[in-house]
Amino acid sequence: MGSVDSARPREPRVRGVAARAGGWSARHRWAAVTIWVLFVVLAMGLGSAAGRVDVKESDQMSGEVGRAVQIIEDAGLKDPAGETVLVHSEGEGGAVAGSAEFRAAVKDVIEAVQSTGEVTAVTSPYTTKSISADGHSALVQFEMRGDPETASERVGPVLDAVAKVDGAHEGLLIEEIGGASMGKTFDDAFGSDFQRAEFSAVPVALGILLIAFGALVAALLPVALALTAIIATMGLMGVVSHLQPMSDTANSVMLLVGLAVGVDYCLFYLRREREERAKGRDPRTALMIAAATSGRAIVVSGVTVCVAMAGMLFTGIAEFEAMGLASLMVVAVAMVGSVTVLPALLSLLGERVEKGRVPFLNRLKRARRGGADGESRVWRAVLTAVLRRPWTALVVAAGALAAIALPALGMHTQNLTLDQEFGDSLPIVRTYDRLNEAFPGGADPAQVVVKADDIGAAPVRKALEEFRRQAVASGASKGPVDIVTHDAENVAVIDVPLVGGSDQEKAEKSLDLLRDTVRPATFGKVPGVEAPITGQVAGSKDFNDQIVGSVVPVFAFVVVFAFLLMLLCFRSLTVAVTSIVLNLLSVGAAYGILTAVFQHGWGASLVGAEGVGAIISWLPLFLFVILFGLSMDYHVFVVSRIREARLQGRTTRDAIAHGVVTTAGVVTSAAVIMVAVFAIFGTLSMQSMKQMGVGLAAAVLIDATIIRGVLLPAVMALLGERNWYFPKWLRWLPDMTHDESYDDAPAVTAPARGGEEPERVGV
C-alpha cells in the first residue's frame, strides 16, 4: 500500500455515549475541565456542609443482636466501658485468693485505679465472687467514667497505675483488659497501620505508571483522575449518608476501589490514544478513536462494576450496604471523569503528555517490545503457544485453577477471635487467653437484654433469678452471672460467661443452650418480656448466619445482571456465558488460596501470616463482589479489542491474537498496580487485613495472567465463529454495540521517537 503522507486524515465517524462525550470534551476542553473541577469542589463543599452520618451499632445487625442494641439505645442507656484487672498466680505453689499476699494485691489494685479519678463502680472479687475454681485467679472490675466512645483515650493513667501494682508484687501477674485498654493497645500498635497502607498506595501506583509510560506527565494523569474521583465521592458520601449511613470502613473500601478503577480507566484510554498517535494518526483522530473504543469499554466496564458493587445492597447488613454504595459511587464518578475530562486534558496537553520522559525506562520498554502496536514479545510468545494447541492450554490452565480452588470446598468462616486476629504479638492477647482459661467466657460474656413493661414486677424478678440459676445448671455457663437492673428504663442486662470461652464452636453451643432452652423456660413464661441475647459470640454467629443467608441473592443478582450487560454490550450469547464462567473460575481460585493459606496454614509464613483455622466471615462475599467487578475491567477491555479487530475484517483467530497481545501491556500495568496496592494490605498486622490483601492480590494476578492470557484466548480459539453467536429469538434486544464503529483513517508516517524507525501503518 502506498504512502499517504500528504493526505489529511479523516475524523472518524462516531456514535454512542462515550464517543460523543469524548468528542464534545475535545472540542470544549476548557469547559470540560472547568465543569469537572467545579463538580469536585461542589461535591466536597456539600459533603462538608452536610456532615457524614455513620452507621449506628443497632443498624449493623438484624435479628437478636440488632434488637438488643436497639433496646439499649431506645432506653437512652450507654453501655459503659468496662475494664477488668486479672490478679493471677501460676503454679501449684502460687498464692491463692485467700492468702494475705493475694488480698494485699487486690487491695492495692482497687486503691490504685480509684486514685486516678478516671473510674467508677469498682468491685472487689471477694464481694462479687469473681474467683476462679482453683483459687489462683481473681477479677477486680470497674467502669471508665465519661463517654465510652472516648474511654480508650483516657485509660492511659489507669493502665500505668495497674502496671505499678504489678511491679510491686513479684509473685503475681496483675494485668488489665477491657474495651478501653484493648482499644488503646491496638491504636498504639496498629492505629497508623491502615492509614500508612492507604497513603502508600498512591506513590506505589505512580511509580508503576511511570515505568509503564516512561513519562512523568502521562503517569500523573491516571493518579490525578483517580484522586479527584475519590475526593468528589468523599463529598457525595456525606450527602448520601443522610439516606444510607456510611462508615470509616466504607470510606477505606471506596478509596481502594476508586484508586483501582480510576487508574485502570485512564490507563485504557491513554494507552489507546498513544497507540493511535504512534501509528501516525493526527492527535484529534487518535483521540476520537480512543473515545470510540476504549471509551466504550470503560462505560461497559464501569456499568458492570457498578452492578457488582450494588450486590452488597442485598446483604441486609448496614456496613456492607455502605461499602457497596460508596464503591458504586466512586466507580460511577471515575467512569464519567474518564470519558469527559480525560479527553479534554489529553487534547489540552497534546505532545506535552510525553513530558518528563525517563530515557532509561524508554530504552528498557523498547527492548521488551516487538512488532507493531506496542505488542509484547512475552505475551506474543505465550499466545502463539496457546493458539497452536488451544485444547492443551485449556485443559492445563483450567485444571490448575480447579486444583487451586479445591480447598475452598472446605472453607470455614467465622469472626476471628482476639488471639486469631493478632496472635501472641501483643501482651494483652496473652492476658485475654489467661482470663478465658481461668474464667471460661469471662472475656466475652453473652449479654441478655431484658425489656419489660415493669422490670420490678414480681414475675419478672423471679424470671431474672431463675435465668441466672438455669444458665449455670444447664451447663451453658460456670458463672458468675451478673444482673444489672435499670428500673427507670424497665431494662435489665445479664452478663453470662459462656462455657467454651474463646473456642467459638464450643461457645456457640453454650449460646444455643441459653437461647433455645434456658430463655424459653424462664422469660418465655412471662408475657410482654423481650430478652434478646447479644455479645461477641452471638454477634459473630448471627453475622455469619446472615452473611451465609445473603450469598444466594447477592451471587444471583451480580451474575444475572453482569450476564445481561455483557449480552447487550457485545451482542453475543457465547461471550456473555464465557465471561461469567471465567470470572467465577478466578474467584474460585482466590477462595482456594485463602483457604489453603489462612485456614490450613499452607505456605502462610511466606506472606507473614499463620493458619488460624478460619476465614473471616465477611471476606468471601466481599471478595466475590469486588473481584467480579474488577475482573470485568480486564475482560471487557480485551474482548472489546478482539471484537473490534473482528469487525475490521480479521479472522477470529487473528482477532484474538491482535486483541490479546495489543492489550497485554495495559492489562499487565493495571494488574501490577492492583496487585501491589492490595499486597500492601497483606503486610498489615491484623489477620483479617492480611486475608483481604492476599486474596485480592492473588485473584487479580491470576485473572490478568492465566485467565486473560491463556484461558480466554484458548476458549475463544476453540469456539471460533461461535464466539459471535446471537440467536434470532434474542435479536429484539437493544443494540448497544454501536460505540465501537468508526471510519478508520488512512495511515500516515509515524514520527520517529528517540531513534526509532518511522513506521508505516495501513488500513
Side-chain angles (χ1 to χ4, degrees), residues 57 77-83 143-154 179-181 183:
E57 190 179 356
L77 300 173
K78 279 195 174 182
D79 194 13
E83 291 288 297
E143 297 170 359
M144 292 294 298
R145 294 184 185 275
D147 188 350
E149 298 293 329
T150 60
S152 61
E153 301 170 13
R154 293 176 280 103
S181 51

Side-chain angles (χ1 to χ4, degrees), residues 60-83:
Q60 295 279 18
M61 287 287 296
S62 59
E64 283 198 36
V65 174
R67 179 57 188 151
V69 176
Q70 188 66 55
I71 290 173
I72 295 293
E73 287 184 359
D74 290 346
L77 300 173
K78 279 195 174 182
D79 194 13
E83 291 288 297

Side-chain angles (χ1 to χ4, degrees), residues 178-199:
S181 51
M182 285 193 291
K184 176 175 171 52
T185 302
F186 298 150
D187 284 344
D188 290 346
F190 312 117
S192 58
D193 233 12
F194 202 76
Q195 285 185 340
R196 196 162 53 245
E198 290 177 340
F199 290 140

Side-chain angles (χ1 to χ4, degrees), residues 576-601:
V577 171
T578 54
S579 300
I580 300 301
V581 172
L582 291 178
N583 277 3
L584 289 176
L585 195 55
S586 68
V587 172
Y591 284 176
I593 290 172
L594 271 178
T595 306
V597 173
F598 292 99
Q599 184 170 317
H600 301 304

